[in-house]
Amino acid sequence: MSSVPLAAYLLLALILFCIGLFGALTKRNAVIVLISIELMLNAVNINLVAFAKYSINPGLTGQIFSLFTITVAAAEAAVGLAILIALYRNRQTVNVDEMDMMKR
């Protein structure tokens, strides 16, 4: 049985993380920034599961940490989208550059 090497998982996670980081730092649309952060969290999940699989004592620790990360990411997405909807109703835009004041 052929197994995928650890370097392949790490390379995939690196590519996903770099794409997410690029999107989070360069895009002006807040929805795209949230999606980019989710992409970065998914890269972390790949690393957690890969290191758990290839560790000295393979177990479920990586999967459990990954489950917690997915839970936090889901909560972050729900709260982030709720905040974006509230901001859009007040300012009629989702551009990050225009959200510089707390109260208008």
Side-chain angles (χ1 to χ4, degrees), residues 16 30 43 53 56 60 80 83 97:
L16 285 177
K53 179 181 176 185
I56 296 171
L60 294 176
I83 291 170
D97 294 339

Side-chain angles (χ1 to χ4, degrees), residues 8-77:
Y9 290 116
L10 297 180
L11 183 64
L12 174 65
L14 175 71
I15 291 169
L16 285 177
F17 193 85
C18 288
I19 292 171
L21 186 64
F22 177 77
L25 293 177
T26 60
K27 300 301 176 187
R28 293 185 176 158
N29 191 335
V31 177
I32 301 299
V33 172
L34 283 176
I35 291 172
S36 298
I37 292 170
E38 294 290 329
L39 198 60
M40 292 166 60
L41 288 172
N42 284 330
V44 171
N45 287 336
I46 291 172
N47 279 338
L48 287 171
V49 173
F51 282 130
K53 179 181 176 185
Y54 287 100
S55 66
I56 296 171
N57 297 325
L60 294 176
T61 55
Q63 287 86 348
I64 292 171
F65 279 122
S66 181
L67 184 63
F68 285 131
T69 307
I70 291 169
T71 305
V72 168
E76 175 258 334

